[in-house]
Amino acid sequence: MLNDAERRALRRALEIAADPAVPLGPNPRVGCVLLDAHGRVLAEGHHRGAGTAHAEADALNRAAPPLIGATAVVTLEPCTHVGRTGPCADALIAAGVGRVIIARRDPNPIATGGIERLRAAGIDVELDIPVDLAAAAAALNRGWEHGLQHGRPLVTAKIALTLDGRAAAADGTSQWITGQAAREEVHQLRTTCDTVLVGAGTARADHPSLTARRGDGTLHHRQPVRAVMGTGHFPPLPGGAGEAIPLRTHDPSAALAELFDRGLRHVLLEGGPTLAAVFLRAELVDELIVHLAPTLLGGGRGGIGDLGITTIADRLDLDLTDVTPLTSPDGRTDLRLTLRPRTT
Ligand SMILES: NC(=O)c1ccc[n+]([C@@H]2O[C@H](COP(=O)([O-])OP(=O)(O)OC[C@H]3O[C@@H](n4cnc5c(N)ncnc54)[C@H](OP(=O)(O)O)[C@@H]3O)[C@@H](O)[C@H]2O)c1
């Protein structure tokens, strides 16, 4: 069980771990807060990406020794491996901390074992974390954990649909199906994924910038890598810091492998209908976010392309995990549906 000071410290550790200045990518985001025996904060630290100090080392470097009897509050199990930095579990033991609170076990086979090592050194290790904080710790590194388990990036597909399931009008226009609140949410979503991917058809039709912008048009601090998949010509994407990555393939597994090799761990697939269907057919969509607008087009492009389904028995069922209304300042409300393809 955590006391009030420890709960506050864990909330803070989660907050600093999510520092938007830290690039997303192949390393987990981790925060650490050191408390003295009275629950006062001694130091904070967080990991700032590959090649930099781990969160525990960062916090220990900022704290004045001795730390005998201090508590370390960490968002991820301290590591036991020697990489570019030494094992964090050993550093905590050497510093003399008496208690370590860990919000999430490390799923990385080469880093795990920190809990056992700390306990073997006589340190009190606490794993009983309030459910909301444990969920926040899990959400922090969703893409990274997925990469360890599956060897490919996590894929969140997002599509804006009319009530009759259309993604674009007959002339190809689709801007904008949804209201301001839903559109701003997409920009926020882009800051939490490290890659935004569209098909070449969307790049040709919409000339999207795929940057993450605030309501006033300014760029968010964290920008996703932009990628376009297709073998034909498509125009350069406007705006953004760098060139979009061209994925010159029609094979979704190969596209994801290329992104994974570049250290990318969470892909936001923003369409269009052809690419959404290609990834769904290949069972490479882990989560689907639909922004459903209370509007009708009657004709036009269906939201999902050909899934190869010809009879109802073969339909692709999804589990609905959340429904949230998104109300814009003008009073218009769209619905956000979050779904997961059913695995059984
Ligand atoms: N409502 C929404 O959320 C939303 C989102 C995005 C787009 N849209 C709309 O969707 C329309 C564009 O639809 P779209 O289906 O053409 O776009 P798309 O899915 O973005 O792109 C299709 C293109 O992707 C490439 N591609 C990559 N892998 C493929 C594969 N395995 N099989 C087939 N093609 C593959 C092909 O380009 P190459 O021929 O170059 O190889 C193909 O022409 C536009 O009207 C746009 O406004 C709507």
Side-chain angles (χ1 to χ4, degrees):
M1 285 279 284
L2 271 53
N3 63 36
D4 287 350
E6 291 170 344
R7 260 197 302 276
R8 271 197 305 278
L10 180 50
R11 255 187 222 105
R12 177 66 186 149
L14 288 163
E15 192 178 292
I16 55 179
D19 177 358
V22 175
L24 300 174
N27 279 30
R29 290 182 285 166
V30 189
C32 173
V33 173
L34 296 171
L35 300 176
D36 70 10
H38 304 287
R40 288 180 298 228
V41 175
L42 291 169
E44 298 178 349
H46 68 289
H47 182 48
R48 293 173 177 76
T52 69
H54 286 189
E56 299 88 331
D58 189 38
L60 289 171
N61 287 340
R62 291 165 200 268
L67 296 174
I68 309 298
T71 294
V73 182
V74 289
T75 58
L76 185 69
E77 179 178 355
C79 71
T80 52
H81 70 294
V82 182
R84 277 179 265 196
T85 57
C88 292
D90 293 354
L92 291 169
I93 294 165
V97 304
R99 176 167 159 84
V100 179
I101 294 164
I102 299 172
R104 188 142 181 96
R105 285 176 183 268
D106 194 329
N108 185 353
I110 64 156
T112 192
I115 293 167
E116 292 70 23
R117 194 174 292 188
L118 291 166
R119 283 194 170 140
I123 292 175
D124 171 29
V125 176
E126 179 63 80
L127 300 170
D128 185 7
I129 305 299
V131 174
D132 58 328
L133 298 181
L140 192 60
N141 291 307
R142 236 161 40 110
W144 174 75
E145 287 196 13
H146 188 278
L148 284 172
Q149 282 154 12
H150 302 280
R152 67 162 174 84
L154 180 73
V155 176
T156 298
K158 178 259 144 194
I159 194 148
L161 295 180
T162 64
L163 198 56
D164 51 343
R166 305 293 168 180
D171 66 354
T173 52
S174 65
Q175 296 169 341
W176 303 106
I177 285 175
T178 49
Q180 187 183 332
R183 298 204 306 272
E184 285 185 13
E185 188 180 80
V186 174
H187 287 272
Q188 191 55 42
L189 200 54
R190 287 176 183 168
T191 69
T192 66
C193 301
D194 52 27
T195 315
V196 176
L197 170 64
V198 295
T202 297
R204 286 189 284 262
D206 296 348
H207 303 279
S209 75
L210 304 181
T211 53
R213 301 182 298 281
R214 300 186 186 87
D216 63 5
T218 56
L219 292 177
H220 276 288
H221 194 91
R222 183 185 279 138
Q223 290 296 317
V225 167
R226 306 174 300 164
V228 180
M229 184 170 157
T231 51
H233 173 76
F234 57 86
L237 303 183
E243 283 305 301
I245 299 174
L247 298 167
R248 293 282 178 210
T249 176
H250 278 189
D251 176 352
S253 297
L256 290 182
E258 182 170 343
L259 295 173
F260 194 78
D261 286 348
R262 289 173 181 260
L264 300 164
R265 296 292 182 266
H266 192 174
V267 172
L268 181 63
L269 175 63
E270 287 201 42
T274 303
L275 215 58
V278 163
F279 276 75
L280 282 165
R281 280 180 88 151
E283 299 183 6
L284 289 172
V285 173
D286 303 296
E287 176 181 60
L288 179 66
I289 295 176
V290 175
H291 284 162
L292 189 62
T295 189
L296 297 167
L297 277 170
R301 289 291 303 271
I304 306 287
D306 183 12
L307 290 174
I309 297 170
T310 53
T311 183
I312 191 72
D314 294 343
R315 69 190 181 272
L316 176 62
D317 285 326
L318 303 132
D319 290 319
L320 187 61
T321 58
D322 182 67
V323 180
T324 300
L326 303 171
T327 301
S328 297
D330 64 3
R332 171 207 169 120
T333 299
D334 301 306
L335 284 183
R336 183 214 307 131
L337 312 181
T338 307
L339 307 111
R340 289 219 176 86
R342 201 169 282 173
T343 44
T344 51

